[in-house]
Amino acid sequence: MTPEATLFDALDATTATNAKVEALAVYFREAADADKLWVIALLSGRRPKRPVTSTQLRQWAAEVSGIPDWLFEASYHVVGDFAETVTHIAKLEQRMERSLAEWVRYVEELKDLSEVEKATRVKAVWAGLEGMELFVFNKIITGGFRIGVSQKIMVKGLSKATGVDEDVLAHRLMGDWAPHHTTFHDLVLGANEGDDHSRPYPFYLAYGIEGPEGTAAGAGLQDLLPLGDPREWQVEHKWDGIRGQLIVRGGQHYVWSRGEELVTDKYPELEALRKALPDGTVLDGELLAWKDGAPLPFAEMQKRIGRKSVGKKLLADVPVIFMAYDLMEHDGTDIRQRPLNERRQLLERIVAAAQHPMLTLSPTLAFTTWEEIVAHREHARTASIEGLMLKRRSSTYEVGRRRGDWWKWKVDPLSIDAVLTFSMQGHGRRADLYTDHTFGLWQEGQLVTFAKAYSGLTDSEMKEVDAFVKKNTLERFGPVRQVKAELVFEIAFEGISTSTRHKSGVAVRFPRIARWRKDKKPEDADTLDALKRMAAALPTAPNDL
Amino acid sequence: MRLTPLLAFTPRGIHCPIADVYIDPWRGVDRAIITHAHSDHARGGSGHYLATPVTKALMHARIGADLSVEGLGYGKPVTINGVRFSLHPAGHIPGSAQVRVEYQDEVWVATGDYKRQLDGISDAFEPVRCHTLITECTFGLPIYRWKEPVEVFAEIDAWWRGNAANGVCSVISAYSLGKAQRVMTGVDPSIGPILVHGAVANMNTVLQDCGLELPPWEHITKDTPKERFRNALVITPGSALDTPWMNRMKPYRSAMASGWMQLRGWRRRSNIDRGFVLSDHADWEALLLAVKESGAERVIATHGYTDLFSQYLRSVGYDATAESTEFAGEAGADGTEGTRSVDPVIPALSREGRPETNAS
Ligand SMILES: [Zn+2]
Ligand SMILES: [Zn+2]
């Protein structure tokens, strides 16, 4: 077995984070640099262009398996994953041996070949590999590489193996790099840092202000007091848009979303900012649907998120602005280590000088006591404000989620991000749409069902979810389908209580879909424990429902 | 051909109208032949039963001591109203049998559950020639292809050994009858003690009384010292997995040994740390071989992917149909690999992962 197959077998065999980190560390210590580079690329969502279509692959798979097309399709339906289906069905005949980097090249070279030649080469691999090695090849050629390892876990393993700090690695692995144009040495050990104009900085993410029970529920004045002197704090609204990073370097501009996705082309209106901002500027802020001087509801923003290319009508209906709240790079210099108040002054200057309608400054709230902040939060809920952000004026700009200097304080604690797990067909006019959804929260690596919700999506979202369900069914249970854990929704509810009748141990009252979190991956959804803590923190929750 | 078939599918089960005998009925009947002692095949409530001696002993232990069961060894015929019945090894679990039914030169075989791999505890599957074969097809899709059991046991041993070296208890969820004993017999007992749940202990005792040899095992009781678990392999039915019963075993890792573990999706969704692909059913190739070796022209698929499997058999020239055996939805609830009556795609996972179908 190749070192990669051993690694992926180990990753696949465990649900424990520590074991995954350890397996990665072992791999990164021992494997060849060229292959390691590709493992990093694949696990961070970078992959070679697909040289073949899925129709071609399905046709060839049915041909080599010696079974009728319909049986292959039925098998695929049961497995739910093409790469895995082929792995189970294919039979080893003539063993092939190549390293991961060579396999990637093998896949890339298919691009310019005739269809017949492509088929021959792909079929040769299906008869030449088995088990995890074949699965990895199939994943590369089909273009998806989700195997239950987040980038964070991969970075931990890489850090353990190389001794390079996790934060530094996280930054180095960001941006628009490709394995073809770098080496393991340059990328991970940072030999050629600074070459890549598009490379973003890792975002600084805030923890939530927590009440006595460890959740935002019940948090109040007493939880702000430990923050100390209010004058040391800057408070802004927490905007309900998409976290974004705007980069202007080398005469180009780049827009990154928090999901580490380059979304420059999705927001063409921001191109104007390239000229309005000085070269060597990197802003942290929020992409917000904004019209006539006011934010549009998040549902409008949703329309923009899913689109790769944006039509004129949508651009006119749902224009997007960049609401800046921090400055990470100024005049080409990384200023993340300078205190927030200095960064804020520079930011204010830059935004004022730009004088552009697509760029606004996130306003800070005037206040002198924490009581004012508590009162402000209570009245803050509007269409586009999720709560408040509290930032220490002396804070440096950190990497990733950190406690201490930045806090978020959401308005309504009674909502939680959950993963769609099952869907059932609706009734009456929606009888052929999957509209009744079941949602799960994480517990020890598994999704535990906690609520069902029927309402809250727009008609077009409903259709989109329906299409997803039909395409991603793992199993059918009569009218119910179990789907791939992929979609994340914010589920709002009126109350929570502990319940012995529910498997989750917690029952929520009137759950509904608050919104579709297209910006979140399933692993970003909340845990059952978080819900239980919320329940414990609510004094007036009714008993059993 | 006769107007009434030798065996017919009725709401009570597979029925031989000439002899008035049912095979694995799921409601009470006068006379029943039982293929094996799994609860989706052997049910109480019937007047008189015919089964292999091992199945008889198991039925007395599982269903009731007062059950009227006649033991019939493999290959020995019994004639009822001119119909000759005999039982032949199915290789599924100890005592499991295929039922051969002969009447006036016509032979039918109902396989019950079967596998062709040797498991060290069951008599080897015996191909039986017939005109009409009623075959199970729990794993009747080409995606199911089993590895050699020795490879699987090497994986289990390595997992157990690794856990034991770290003082972590290894807990395998395996059905208490059949899979549990197969796992015990297949692993390397020098790694540590084999400790079992009460349900497994009961089955062990019955099978040992029938002459089955098992490696040393201990029944877990309140008095089992905590240190005993540190390098142990615990074998438990799935229903006890992650319940307070297991608190004393912490830290532990859990695994499941089942054919369904072949699919990554099922491994992931079953709340376990490891999945070992070990099945007591025939895989795709073994099913096709069994059909071929039976020499049958007519095949009736039951139990599993019946529609797809029979459609495939038709496409390669058999006269094949699908029949549902209405196992009343209880099959497999305790961790057997049996499938549910409504939809053959549902493996038997007893814990999280199934939706509540009523609004709560
Ligand atoms: Zn069985
Ligand atoms: Zn069965």
Side-chain angles (χ1 to χ4, degrees):
Chain A
M1 259 206 318
T2 62
E4 290 74 34
T6 309
L7 168 68
F8 292 129
D9 257 339
L11 294 175
D12 207 28
T14 180
T15 50
T17 302
N18 284 346
K20 289 186 184 190
V21 170
E22 190 50 45
L24 284 156
V26 168
Y27 171 79
F28 283 125
R29 273 184 211 116
E30 291 169 2
D33 280 0
D35 298 329
K36 288 193 283 201
L37 192 59
W38 271 108
V39 166
I40 295 169
L42 293 171
L43 290 181
S44 61
R46 294 167 176 84
R47 51 188 181 237
K49 277 223 169 63
R50 277 181 73 157
V52 292
T53 66
S54 59
T55 315
Q56 286 172 325
L57 285 171
R58 281 154 92 145
Q59 184 195 325
W60 301 336
E63 281 165 21
V64 296
S65 61
I67 55 172
D69 292 10
W70 61 263
L71 186 54
F72 182 84
E73 289 299 317
S75 300
Y76 172 46
H77 179 82
V78 168
V79 177
D81 178 273
F82 178 85
E84 188 183 344
T85 309
V86 172
T87 307
H88 291 318
I89 290 182
K91 281 182 202 132
L92 183 67
E93 283 160 27
Q94 178 71 46
R95 207 164 224 310
M96 293 175 83
E97 269 171 58
R98 276 178 171 73
S99 71
L100 180 65
E102 288 166 342
W103 278 124
V104 172
R105 199 174 318 132
Y106 189 96
V107 169
E108 285 172 336
E109 282 168 3
L110 293 175
K111 188 166 55 91
D112 303 320
L113 302 176
S114 69
E115 177 157 352
V116 176
E117 186 58 24
K118 282 180 185 173
T120 310
R121 296 213 187 176
V122 170
K123 288 176 181 179
V125 182
W126 287 345
L129 294 178
E130 61 179 347
M132 185 52 83
E133 286 183 46
L134 180 54
F135 182 66
V136 169
F137 172 85
N138 288 338
K139 279 289 180 194
I140 295 172
I141 203 162
T142 53
F145 211 89
R146 284 271 183 88
I147 59 155
V149 179
S150 65
Q151 176 149 353
K152 198 171 169 185
I153 290 178
M154 191 257 290
V155 165
K156 272 191 185 339
L158 192 54
S159 171
K160 211 169 170 188
T162 57
V164 180
D165 183 76
E166 280 178 41
D167 291 349
V168 174
L169 277 177
H171 184 202
R172 285 182 185 158
L173 299 188
M174 287 188 89
D176 211 9
W177 64 272
H180 295 99
H181 306 122
T182 185
T183 63
F184 182 79
H185 190 79
D186 288 354
L187 178 74
V188 173
L189 307 176
N192 284 320
E193 238 172 324
D195 284 359
D196 176 5
H197 284 313
S198 75
R199 178 177 292 165
Y201 294 103
F203 287 97
Y204 184 3
L205 306 172
Y207 271 96
I209 292 276
E210 292 173 349
E213 304 295 337
T215 68
L221 184 62
Q222 70 283 0
D223 303 296
L224 296 184
L225 295 177
L227 299 180
D229 188 343
R231 281 170 302 184
E232 288 174 12
W233 291 81
Q234 168 182 315
V235 178
E236 300 154 75
H237 285 136
K238 181 172 174 10
W239 295 93
D240 195 8
I242 297 291
R243 183 85 178 265
Q245 194 172 134
L246 177 67
I247 297 174
V248 178
R249 285 185 195 133
Q252 294 291 316
H253 83 292
Y254 310 89
V255 182
W256 291 89
S257 76
R258 204 198 110 190
E260 233 200 271
E261 194 191 348
L262 191 56
V263 292
T264 316
D265 298 337
K266 288 188 180 179
Y267 303 100
E269 56 264 73
L270 300 182
E271 194 184 331
L273 298 178
R274 184 171 67 203
K275 292 202 182 93
L277 289 165
D279 212 62
T281 301
V282 179
L283 302 176
D284 181 9
E286 199 85 2
L287 297 162
L288 278 174
W290 194 275
K291 206 173 188 180
D292 305 327
L296 295 170
F298 190 77
E300 294 295 304
M301 184 69 192
Q302 294 277 33
K303 295 178 184 164
R304 293 290 302 269
I305 295 171
R307 302 283 176 83
K308 266 235 159 64
S309 59
V310 194
K312 272 195 186 142
K313 177 160 174 12
L314 187 58
L315 213 50
D317 288 351
V318 188
V320 167
I321 63 151
F322 192 86
M323 167 84 74
Y325 39 67
D326 212 325
L327 182 65
M328 301 152 113
E329 185 174 310
H330 180 54
D331 279 342
T333 308
D334 177 357
I335 60 162
R336 292 177 297 156
Q337 293 309 307
R338 292 169 70 175
L340 172 64
N341 54 355
E342 285 182 30
R343 299 200 308 274
R344 174 81 192 185
Q345 275 177 15
L346 292 170
L347 176 69
E348 286 172 3
R349 243 180 271 161
I350 283 178
V351 174
Q355 263 202 346
H356 200 284
M358 297 298 175
L359 177 67
T360 62
L361 190 66
S362 163
T364 56
L365 305 180
F367 72 104
T368 50
T369 65
W370 289 123
E371 284 83 352
E372 289 169 61
I373 292 301
V374 173
H376 196 93
R377 171 176 172 264
E378 264 150 32
H379 300 109
R381 184 173 266 298
T382 69
S384 293
I385 295 170
E386 273 193 303
L388 302 179
M389 287 299 302
L390 287 66
K391 299 173 181 172
R392 199 185 291 276
R393 291 184 193 278
S394 61
S395 64
T396 54
Y397 193 99
E398 298 292 324
V399 169
R401 202 174 291 285
R402 293 289 159 92
R403 283 179 197 281
D405 288 340
W406 281 25
W407 297 96
K408 62 180 175 191
W409 198 17
K410 283 206 189 184
V411 174
D412 180 5
L414 295 185
S415 81
I416 200 154
D417 291 336
V419 181
L420 175 68
T421 50
F422 297 93
S423 288
M424 198 166 83
Q425 279 170 337
H427 302 285
R429 142 182 110 81
R430 289 178 182 147
D432 51 2
L433 281 184
Y434 282 84
T435 54
D436 298 1
H437 306 301
T438 302
F439 298 91
L441 295 170
W442 292 106
Q443 185 181 40
E444 288 166 10
Q446 302 296 326
L447 286 168
V448 178
T449 294
F450 94 103
K452 282 201 283 264
Y454 314 92
S455 57
L457 294 176
T458 64
D459 278 9
S460 69
E461 283 174 330
M462 216 181 286
K463 278 187 197 131
E464 213 177 324
V465 175
D466 173 73
F468 170 85
V469 169
K470 286 170 180 160
K471 243 184 273 163
N472 292 279
T473 298
L474 298 168
E475 266 85 26
R476 295 160 182 246
F477 302 81
V480 180
R481 294 188 181 207
Q482 177 166 26
V483 300
K484 218 175 176 179
E486 197 168 309
L487 304 189
V488 179
F489 295 85
E490 185 182 331
I491 307 300
F493 40 88
E494 302 298 330
I496 335 169
S497 60
T498 51
S499 160
T500 47
R501 285 198 301 111
H502 291 74
K503 288 201 170 161
S504 61
V506 182
V508 296
R509 200 151 53 101
F510 302 132
R512 63 197 179 274
I513 302 168
R515 57 186 174 136
W516 188 351
R517 297 296 308 248
K518 289 188 177 174
D519 56 324
K520 291 212 170 187
K521 293 182 185 159
E523 53 267 33
D524 297 326
D526 282 300
T527 62
L528 185 57
D529 279 341
L531 182 67
K532 286 181 177 164
R533 284 199 302 271
M534 258 188 213
L538 282 178
T540 54
N543 214 352
D544 201 353
L545 298 165
Chain B
M1 219 183 148
R2 228 186 329 278
L3 284 175
T4 40
L6 194 45
L7 294 177
F9 287 80
T10 75
R12 284 164 187 262
I14 300 174
H15 185 220
C16 175
I18 303 163
D20 193 21
V21 169
Y22 287 82
I23 298 173
D24 292 351
W26 48 90
R27 285 185 213 159
V29 298
D30 289 342
R31 280 183 82 86
I33 297 179
I34 300 301
T35 60
H36 65 290
H38 276 157
S39 51
D40 52 334
H41 295 260
R43 289 161 186 272
S46 290
H48 186 74
Y49 296 89
L50 191 69
T52 63
V54 173
T55 299
K56 173 183 170 173
L58 289 165
M59 285 174 71
H60 281 312
R62 289 167 69 91
I63 304 170
D66 51 352
L67 229 51
S68 161
V69 190
E70 182 188 336
L72 181 70
Y74 289 128
K76 300 208 175 95
V78 157
T79 304
I80 304 168
N81 199 22
V83 185
R84 218 171 114 104
F85 294 90
S86 54
L87 302 176
H88 303 266
H92 175 56
I93 60 166
S96 65
Q98 310 173 69
V99 183
R100 182 181 185 277
V101 185
E102 180 181 352
Y103 184 70
Q104 294 179 349
D105 300 330
E106 185 177 353
V107 179
W108 288 48
V109 167
T111 63
D113 293 344
Y114 67 99
K115 72 169 174 291
R116 303 184 57 116
Q117 285 180 337
L118 293 180
D119 62 11
I121 57 172
S122 317
D123 287 271
F125 174 87
E126 177 191 311
V128 183
R129 305 281 297 177
C130 59
H131 301 102
T132 301
L133 180 73
I134 300 171
T135 177
E136 66 127 326
C137 55
T138 307
F139 292 101
L141 282 182
I143 47 176
Y144 299 107
R145 284 177 23 219
W146 309 146
K147 277 189 215 176
E148 286 303 319
V150 344
E151 286 180 50
V152 180
F153 282 111
E155 289 171 12
I156 297 177
D157 285 344
W159 173 75
W160 180 14
R161 203 172 277 124
N163 289 339
N166 294 315
V168 172
C169 178
S170 304
V171 182
I172 287 201
S173 154
Y175 189 58
S176 58
L177 169 58
K179 191 66 65 63
Q181 292 75 30
R182 185 181 183 193
V183 169
M184 292 172 64
T185 312
V187 294
D188 175 359
S190 71
I191 300 170
I194 296 175
L195 310 182
V196 308
H197 183 274
V200 176
N202 290 343
M203 291 301 103
N204 285 356
T205 308
V206 177
L207 288 169
Q208 283 177 317
D209 288 347
C210 292
L212 183 72
E213 280 186 39
L214 291 174
W217 55 272
E218 294 166 35
H219 180 179
I220 298 168
T221 66
K222 284 198 294 294
D223 303 322
T224 309
K226 272 186 98 172
E227 318 77 69
R228 195 78 183 126
F229 292 107
R230 295 288 54 85
N231 61 341
L233 180 68
V234 170
I235 301 182
T236 172
S239 51
L241 211 55
D242 296 338
T243 61
W245 176 74
M246 283 180 57
N247 284 347
R248 281 177 310 152
M249 301 169 198
K250 285 178 180 171
Y252 64 80
R253 297 268 178 281
S254 58
M256 187 176 284
S258 159
W260 300 112
M261 294 296 112
Q262 170 102 343
L263 302 188
R264 291 178 81 235
W266 277 107
R267 284 204 300 276
R268 287 260 186 121
R269 285 189 299 279
S270 56
N271 281 9
I272 43 147
D273 300 311
R274 270 301 285 270
F276 298 109
V277 187
L278 190 71
S279 177
D280 286 328
H281 291 266
D283 68 2
W284 171 255
E285 301 282 349
L287 289 169
L288 294 180
L289 187 61
V291 168
K292 190 173 164 209
E293 289 188 349
S294 74
E297 302 111 40
R298 259 193 85 206
V299 181
I300 300 169
T302 64
H303 223 53
Y305 300 98
T306 50
D307 288 337
L308 296 169
F309 189 63
S310 57
Q311 190 181 344
Y312 176 74
L313 290 178
R314 284 196 296 281
S315 79
V316 293
Y318 288 93
D319 171 11
T321 51
E323 285 284 353
S324 66
T325 40
E326 202 66 46
F327 284 128
E330 294 301 320
D334 45 7
T336 57
E337 290 171 322
T339 51
R340 310 245 168 183
S341 55
V342 187
D343 190 322
V345 182
I346 305 171
L349 288 172
S350 53
R351 297 175 306 118
E352 295 297 346
R354 286 187 58 86
E356 301 143 308
T357 31
N358 317 317
S360 51

